[in-house]
Amino acid sequence: MRPAHRTHAALPRGAAAPATAGEGAAAGTGPAGVDPFAARVARAVDPARLQARQRGLAAHGGVATGGVARQALTEEELAARRWLAQDFAVRPGYRIGIDAAANVHLRREGADPSLAPVLTGSHVDTQPLGGWLDGAFGVVAGLEVFAALDAAGARTRRPIDVVMWTNEEGSRFAPGLMGSASYAEPARLAQFLPVADAAGVRFETARDAAVADLNEAARREGWAWMDTPLAAPVHAYIEAHIEQGPVLEALGLQVGCVTAIQGVRWFRVVIAGRSAHAGTTPLAARDDAQAKAVHMAHALLSHAETCGDERLRLTIGRWQCSPGSINTVADQVAFTVDARHPEAAALDTVQALMERCLPAGGRIELLQDKPTVHFDAGLVALARQACAGLGLSHHDMLSGAFHDAMPMAAFCPTAMLFAPSIGGVSHHPAEDTQIDDLAACTRALAWCLAELAGPA
Ligand code: GLV
Ligand code: MN
Ligand code: MN
């Protein structure tokens, strides 16, 4: 296995190389700057087929009252992965594999098997109750590009892989991005294996079950198999995703060309006290973990509200109290803090405030610390060219959410394309995007993948 940092020595950053041989180069880019091969593949994207697959995926873990409950490596997620794979894994020219982090790789072969693949994809795990598009769209968009390539009878020089990354959300096993982080940096996997979910199931156990499940499906269905080592060389990674925020809708634009992802730190704060009777114990005689935690949380939220920096995001998303009885003073409270900002100094300020406000005997665990990531300038330029070539209105932007593209950006040339989110809503059952916007983003993705993989 070649170390990740050497994998792309031949491909300087800022210069993710579109293919230059074959149909595209022979025909050249015409006076309008349109690459005929990429344009042909992009035109073959079918909004109805895209929507049908997106809807079919939402049925896996779909909740009758709205939303999708399909957390990482649950039965629902494994069934969704098999369902997505089955249409393509039976076709000639496709192969499937699963790596040591349980990332599923579905490959459309290229004419030159010695070349590193172009990767796309995202995640199909959701929040405990999430929407139908977060992550799911990026995988379905990649599969729609496969369908478009097949419909157009297009052969590429490089292979193209659609990857379903494991545990992007981090809501079942913390932190998030376990699959893509392990792919980009295999040494990370050992840290993730012992992590347990709320029911005590280890990530390692869930990972083993997912690997066995896909192996068994492939054997049963006769899918062509491939070995998929972590950190295998990748030519470029480009991920489509819904924006999950309000920017594109407010500007009335179809596609976001993502230049960077803002930094994020996750903390778990644990505060100890002593349980006591709620009716008999005077306030002055208590060591109330709940009261101390509320004071600390209040200080953090007040900072976020009054510091005057509208780019700061601070969320206390989980709160656990023991023994959790209405008439007993709490002996332990644990809560999480999700802090985000494009500049590390703002996150340092939040962290310093947390340390200052931490009550005696408490502790702060840093669950993840991801600095702001800047995407590959050459790939972002290609995303813009794709939008221009397809006549799509577009805009350079920063991602507020983290994505699998974050760890991948340290491994290979990486960029993202965003589709607008209606009302900016995400991590909520009401999450939605107009089908025309999903199709537009998928066309831009198809263009980029066709350029990067090149005509055979
Ligand atoms: C990903 O879901 C994030 O929290 O940014
Ligand atoms: Mn996502
Ligand atoms: Mn998410």
Side-chain angles (χ1 to χ4, degrees):
M1 185 186 302
R2 295 163 67 193
H5 65 278
R6 293 171 58 99
T7 305
H8 298 283
L11 187 61
R13 295 191 62 75
T20 51
E23 183 185 338
T29 50
V34 171
D35 167 18
F37 181 69
R40 179 157 69 91
V41 175
R43 270 199 308 271
V45 164
D46 177 353
R49 188 171 53 201
L50 172 75
Q51 189 175 32
R53 186 169 285 113
Q54 196 75 66
R55 288 229 167 100
L57 174 54
H60 294 274
V63 172
T65 48
V68 181
R70 195 173 56 221
Q71 290 206 83
L73 305 183
T74 54
E75 281 302 319
E76 291 77 16
E77 201 213 1
L78 300 191
R81 290 164 161 224
R82 290 193 305 270
W83 181 81
L84 287 167
Q86 72 186 6
D87 270 0
F88 295 94
V90 289
R91 297 185 192 181
Y94 284 87
R95 286 193 291 155
I96 192 163
I98 187 163
D99 65 32
N103 301 307
V104 175
H105 304 247
L106 189 59
R107 170 163 301 175
R108 189 177 191 272
E109 304 278 15
D112 185 345
S114 71
L115 295 178
V118 178
L119 257 61
T120 189
S122 192
H123 59 100
V124 297
D125 65 313
T126 69
Q127 288 287 307
L129 181 61
W132 72 310
L133 296 174
D134 176 5
F137 168 58
V139 173
V140 169
L143 295 178
E144 177 52 33
V145 176
F146 279 175
L149 285 159
D150 288 355
R155 186 131 194 261
T156 56
R157 203 154 58 87
R158 289 181 185 277
I160 303 177
D161 287 8
V162 172
V163 186
M164 304 180 219
W165 300 110
T166 300
N167 187 37
E168 189 271 354
E169 294 288 4
S171 53
R172 180 176 176 201
F173 302 102
L177 305 174
M178 280 187 181
S180 44
S182 300
Y183 190 86
E185 200 184 332
R188 301 286 310 278
L189 182 58
Q191 292 164 245
F192 300 146
L193 293 177
V195 172
D197 69 6
V201 178
R202 282 161 57 97
F203 176 72
E204 182 174 24
T205 308
R207 184 275 313 254
D208 290 349
V211 170
D213 183 78
L214 198 82
N215 270 273
E216 168 56 20
R219 195 194 52 71
R220 198 175 53 237
E221 308 293 335
W223 297 342
W225 193 254
M226 65 175 176
D227 288 335
T228 50
L230 297 173
V234 172
H235 179 63
Y237 176 66
I238 183 151
E239 177 175 351
H241 205 285
I242 53 164
E243 181 201 327
Q244 308 182 273
V247 175
L248 290 172
E249 185 182 61
L251 295 173
L253 299 174
Q254 292 168 289
V255 180
C257 301
V258 185
T259 56
I261 299 184
Q262 71 176 347
V264 50
R265 286 184 206 170
W266 279 7
F267 306 92
R268 180 168 181 263
V269 180
V270 182
I271 294 173
R274 194 177 61 248
S275 61
H277 194 288
T280 59
T281 317
L283 292 188
R286 296 180 183 192
D287 182 12
D288 185 346
Q290 187 77 278
K292 292 189 286 187
V294 167
H295 288 311
M296 179 171 172
H298 183 256
L300 297 175
L301 293 169
S302 298
H303 167 73
E305 283 160 18
T306 60
C307 69
D309 184 347
E310 63 180 28
R311 291 181 302 165
L312 178 64
R313 306 279 184 269
L314 193 141
T315 306
I316 296 176
R318 183 180 292 157
W319 193 281
Q320 291 160 315
C321 176
S322 153
S325 166
I326 192 166
N327 51 354
T328 298
V329 172
D331 64 359
Q332 181 171 292
V333 170
F335 65 91
T336 56
V337 178
D338 173 320
R340 309 195 193 199
H341 199 282
E343 285 164 23
L347 299 177
D348 292 343
T349 302
V350 169
Q351 194 164 346
L353 177 62
M354 290 177 67
E355 278 151 18
R356 274 203 311 281
C357 310
L358 183 71
R363 67 174 192 277
I364 299 171
E365 298 163 8
L366 180 64
L367 300 179
Q368 77 171 340
D369 179 4
K370 306 230 175 276
T372 295
V373 156
H374 296 275
F375 287 147
D376 181 86
L379 268 195
V380 177
L382 176 61
R384 285 188 212 109
Q385 272 164 30
C387 292
L390 291 163
L392 303 173
S393 56
H394 59 98
H395 173 68
D396 282 7
M397 62 186 298
L398 175 87
S399 173
F402 61 71
H403 298 286
D404 293 302
M406 201 174 204
M408 288 303 284
F411 178 74
C412 64
T414 293
M416 292 187 77
L417 293 161
F418 275 175
S421 291
I422 296 173
V425 175
S426 190
H427 284 189
H428 187 280
E431 170 185 282
D432 207 1
T433 297
Q434 303 287 354
I435 181 64
D436 288 354
D437 288 334
L438 294 178
C441 188
T442 306
R443 286 208 169 91
L445 178 71
W447 178 297
C448 293
L449 293 174
E451 273 279 340
L452 290 162

